[in-house]
Amino acid sequence: MSVVVVGSVAYDGIETPHGSVDRILGGACTYISLASSYFAKTSIVAVVGDDFAKEDEEFLRSRGIGLEGLERVPGKTFFWSGVYSNDMNDRTTTRTDLNVFAGFDPKLPASYRAAPYLILGNIQPALQRSVREQMNGLRLAGGDTMNYWIKDYREELLGTIRSWDFLLINDSEARMLSGENNLKRAAAKILGMGPHTLVIKRGEYGAILFHRDAHFIVPGYLLEEVFDPTGAGDCFAGGFIGYLAGRGLDLADGKLDDAELRRAVIYGSVMGSFCCENFGVDRFRTLTRQEIDARYSEFQDCTGF
Amino acid sequence: MSVVVVGSVAYDGIETPHGSVDRILGGACTYISLASSYFAKTSIVAVVGDDFAKEDEEFLRSRGIGLEGLERVPGKTFFWSGVYSNDMNDRTTTRTDLNVFAGFDPKLPASYRAAPYLILGNIQPALQRSVREQMNGLRLAGGDTMNYWIKDYREELLGTIRSWDFLLINDSEARMLSGENNLKRAAAKILGMGPHTLVIKRGEYGAILFHRDAHFIVPGYLLEEVFDPTGAGDCFAGGFIGYLAGRGLDLADGKLDDAELRRAVIYGSVMGSFCCENFGVDRFRTLTRQEIDARYSEFQDCTGF
């Protein structure tokens, strides 16, 4: 069943110890939708400028991604660039040009409104909320946020996530949102804010799923070479929502299958790991569902006891 | 079957955000042997000064730990103190008085020489080697080291670990020893140095077991409160060797049961997690085997998919 993804479509300049690219397709919405597209019909809501390349649009279309909600406006597409440290655990942003993204006001095409799955990339909480309210047949809705909104838009954010089923954030964001350093305590507080499901992403160290009184911890997949970690967290989110949507699962009514949620977290980890194997979105030009399932099995082999 | 543990017995001064203690029983040999004692008969080789308290000796004895190799010499016992950062991921050493430990020359009692399991805590590699050579019926031998020996005693260390079955080190040590930043590549290099089994400890993020061409990744147990992480890595080592010894396993002849090694890593993680629940060794004053097995099951529950 189909997934709607809302967020940024951008061009990125990336420098890692393995090389650099001046301008490559990026943005949270792009990564989430590419990862999700392997599991379920996926459509996007985003804005780009008139410089958005035909071949990038074609690439998204080739993955079956619905582009009716991809708005084109005069001006330039959002541009971000950054440089990774030698061990790739830190990155420094060298440029952020919001361009047309500064005026992003997500408009849902009528054909999207009945979609059962919604994932909201990291944008202003009020915009996330307005999209959520335009949908009318949701089985499962949630998304991401970041330190900036947690710190300076706290009330707006709390009002937004109150109606979410799941929240996907990283460990430092979970600490900031909850005011608790310990992740178990942080999760308990965040689950009191609305979402019944919380996934805390820990980068190379994996992720933790919290749902009601239980949790599931998964280590990160061990890559022999991390080529470029840009977008890995968003690909995690895309694999997570895509898997649940592909299975037609309904979390909203409380009939949650914990085993399926755990599988969704593993598929999220798998998609995040593939993302790191090449620059930007390039790994998704060749990745197949067969490779994804093989890595899922490998995950079982190297974590089971 | 019985385990011999060689290393430091010390007094520690510890300050964490939860409080402080001026002087509490510590040292790698102490933590390793306490953790191992829950699984197998464990005996130590260490040196203390004439200030070593009767009640600390009695505590070790109460856990069934063999103390024939605990040498007492005139002078003071090794003393270390440190202060943990607020998130407890960093600590600053405020004092290191080697005292009688400066002249430590491990002497194996005759009754220890035929023990099948040997674990060498972090001491000078030449001393580790001399102990290894005094043993005559080993099924499994290995140990720990640290950055200081890797950097300044590299050849001596390489000559020592060449005959080890397993090496247990943390991630930064693995990177330094191998010269590789990526842990999978680092492990491949280290397994070329002698040991057929490598465990890389990652603190709160768990551990990775490498053995020949396979690896096993385990996340850290999620504690609600990390009271004091001192000794957690050594308790991991004690749980690991203790479990293998308790099962009577023989890794030296290559007939390795991968499933048992994985269980040993989980028991190591379990013992490390308990260690953090109270100051210094205090958690082991009340911990029972039943609690250990319950946490092992909990580990299965929160990592299986």
Side-chain angles (χ1 to χ4, degrees):
Chain A
M1 299 175 82
S2 83
V3 180
V4 170
V5 184
V6 185
S8 58
V9 169
Y11 284 115
D12 293 341
I14 302 167
E15 193 179 325
T16 82
H18 298 286
S20 66
V21 282
D22 287 344
R23 186 179 168 87
I24 192 170
L25 179 61
C29 180
T30 305
Y31 283 106
I32 296 170
S33 62
L34 283 168
S36 172
S37 72
Y38 286 86
F39 305 91
K41 171 69 194 170
T42 303
S43 301
I44 65 172
V45 178
V47 63
V48 292
D50 41 30
D51 61 345
F52 193 67
K54 197 74 194 158
E55 59 262 35
D56 291 322
E57 190 177 319
E58 279 315 307
F59 172 48
L60 296 175
R61 207 185 306 277
S62 75
R63 291 278 337 130
I65 294 170
L67 302 179
E68 202 189 333
L70 181 64
E71 191 185 359
R72 282 171 175 280
V73 301
K76 285 188 169 178
T77 301
F78 181 12
F79 181 81
W80 171 88
S81 66
V83 180
Y84 285 87
S85 63
N86 268 332
D87 66 2
M88 283 192 270
N89 285 326
D90 291 302
R91 74 176 186 198
T92 309
T93 292
T94 50
R95 211 167 125 190
T96 306
D97 302 335
L98 288 178
N99 297 330
V100 300
F101 190 66
F104 183 40
D105 180 18
K107 293 170 204 70
L108 236 59
S111 66
Y112 283 22
R113 291 176 198 245
Y117 300 94
L118 173 67
I119 182 158
L120 299 151
N122 163 36
I123 54 173
Q124 185 170 340
L127 296 181
Q128 292 176 319
R129 187 173 184 164
S130 89
V131 175
R132 169 80 179 73
E133 287 168 356
Q134 292 173 58
M135 305 286 290
N136 57 33
L138 282 176
R139 288 186 166 210
L140 185 67
D144 192 8
T145 189
M146 71 181 291
N147 291 355
Y148 176 67
W149 310 117
I150 296 171
K151 194 164 162 283
D152 293 341
Y153 289 72
R154 189 174 175 85
E155 286 314 308
E156 185 178 315
L157 178 66
L158 292 177
T160 297
I161 66 172
R162 193 170 297 135
S163 64
W164 289 8
D165 297 297
F166 66 90
L167 178 64
L168 277 156
I169 48 179
N170 70 32
D171 41 8
S172 70
E173 291 158 355
R175 290 186 169 111
M176 188 184 260
L177 178 57
S178 64
E180 291 280 352
N181 187 58
N182 178 284
L183 290 182
K184 207 167 175 182
R185 287 161 183 262
K189 277 208 178 168
I190 293 168
L191 291 180
M193 296 173 184
H196 53 68
T197 299
L198 168 68
V199 180
I200 297 181
K201 297 173 286 178
R202 309 165 101 186
E204 64 167 315
Y205 298 114
I208 316 178
L209 164 74
F210 294 91
H211 173 71
R212 297 194 173 108
D213 295 332
H215 69 271
F216 170 55
I217 320 184
V218 58
Y221 178 83
L222 201 60
L223 283 166
E224 190 135 355
E225 185 109 88
V226 176
F227 203 84
D228 171 17
T230 310
D234 293 317
C235 289
F236 182 105
F240 176 81
I241 190 76
Y243 175 77
L244 294 172
R247 302 282 295 167
L249 295 172
D250 189 345
L251 277 76
D253 66 358
K255 281 181 289 178
L256 175 85
D257 184 337
D258 189 59
E260 289 282 24
L261 259 185
R262 289 180 176 215
R263 284 178 208 121
V265 168
I266 300 296
Y267 275 111
S269 304
V270 164
M271 299 312 286
S273 75
F274 278 119
C275 180
C276 298
E277 291 186 344
N278 209 331
F279 268 119
V281 296
D282 277 354
R283 186 62 181 89
F284 299 103
R285 298 187 193 276
T286 57
L287 183 70
T288 65
R289 179 61 197 255
Q290 208 175 2
E291 288 178 293
I292 293 168
D293 289 326
R295 183 158 296 179
Y296 183 96
S297 299
E298 216 189 307
F299 233 108
Q300 282 181 307
D301 291 344
C302 66
T303 61
F305 65 92
Chain B
M1 297 175 82
S2 84
V3 180
V4 170
V5 184
V6 185
S8 58
V9 169
Y11 284 115
D12 293 343
I14 302 166
E15 194 179 322
T16 82
H18 298 288
S20 66
V21 282
D22 289 342
R23 187 180 169 87
I24 192 171
L25 179 62
C29 180
T30 306
Y31 283 106
I32 297 170
S33 62
L34 282 168
S36 172
S37 71
Y38 285 87
F39 303 91
K41 170 67 193 171
T42 302
S43 301
I44 66 172
V45 178
V47 63
V48 292
D50 41 30
D51 61 344
F52 194 66
K54 198 72 195 160
E55 58 263 34
D56 291 321
E57 191 178 319
E58 280 314 309
F59 171 47
L60 297 175
R61 206 185 305 276
S62 75
R63 290 281 335 132
I65 294 169
L67 302 179
E68 204 191 330
L70 180 64
E71 192 186 359
R72 281 170 176 279
V73 300
K76 284 188 169 181
T77 301
F78 181 12
F79 181 82
W80 170 88
S81 67
V83 180
Y84 285 87
S85 63
N86 268 333
D87 66 2
M88 282 191 271
N89 284 325
D90 291 303
R91 73 175 184 197
T92 309
T93 292
T94 50
R95 210 167 128 191
T96 307
D97 301 335
L98 290 178
N99 297 330
V100 299
F101 191 64
F104 183 38
D105 180 18
K107 291 170 205 71
L108 236 60
S111 65
Y112 283 23
R113 290 176 197 242
Y117 299 95
L118 172 67
I119 183 160
L120 299 151
N122 163 36
I123 54 174
Q124 185 171 342
L127 296 181
Q128 293 176 318
R129 187 173 183 166
S130 88
V131 174
R132 170 80 179 72
E133 288 168 355
Q134 292 172 59
M135 305 286 289
N136 56 34
L138 283 176
R139 289 186 164 210
L140 186 67
D144 192 8
T145 190
M146 72 180 290
N147 291 355
Y148 176 65
W149 309 116
I150 296 172
K151 194 163 161 285
D152 293 341
Y153 289 72
R154 189 172 175 85
E155 288 313 309
E156 184 179 316
L157 178 67
L158 292 177
T160 297
I161 66 173
R162 194 170 296 135
S163 64
W164 289 9
D165 297 297
F166 67 89
L167 178 65
L168 277 156
I169 49 180
N170 70 33
D171 42 8
S172 70
E173 291 158 355
R175 292 187 168 110
M176 188 185 261
L177 179 58
S178 65
E180 291 280 353
N181 188 59
N182 178 283
L183 291 183
K184 208 169 173 180
R185 288 162 181 261
K189 279 210 177 170
I190 293 169
L191 291 180
M193 296 175 184
H196 52 69
T197 300
L198 169 67
V199 180
I200 297 181
K201 296 173 287 178
R202 308 166 100 186
E204 65 168 313
Y205 298 114
I208 317 178
L209 165 74
F210 294 91
H211 174 71
R212 298 192 172 110
D213 296 333
H215 69 269
F216 170 56
I217 320 186
V218 57
Y221 179 84
L222 202 61
L223 283 165
E224 189 133 356
E225 182 111 86
V226 175
F227 203 83
D228 170 18
T230 310
D234 293 316
C235 290
F236 182 105
F240 177 80
I241 189 75
Y243 175 76
L244 294 172
R247 301 284 294 168
L249 295 173
D250 189 345
L251 278 75
D253 67 356
K255 282 180 293 182
L256 176 86
D257 184 339
D258 189 60
E260 288 282 23
L261 259 185
R262 290 179 176 215
R263 284 179 209 120
V265 168
I266 301 297
Y267 275 110
S269 305
V270 164
M271 299 311 288
S273 74
F274 278 119
C275 180
C276 298
E277 291 185 347
N278 209 331
F279 268 119
V281 296
D282 277 354
R283 186 63 181 86
F284 299 103
R285 297 185 194 279
T286 56
L287 183 69
T288 64
R289 178 64 197 255
Q290 207 175 3
E291 288 177 293
I292 292 167
D293 289 325
R295 184 158 294 179
Y296 182 97
S297 300
E298 216 189 307
F299 234 106
Q300 282 181 307
D301 291 344
C302 66
T303 61
F305 65 93

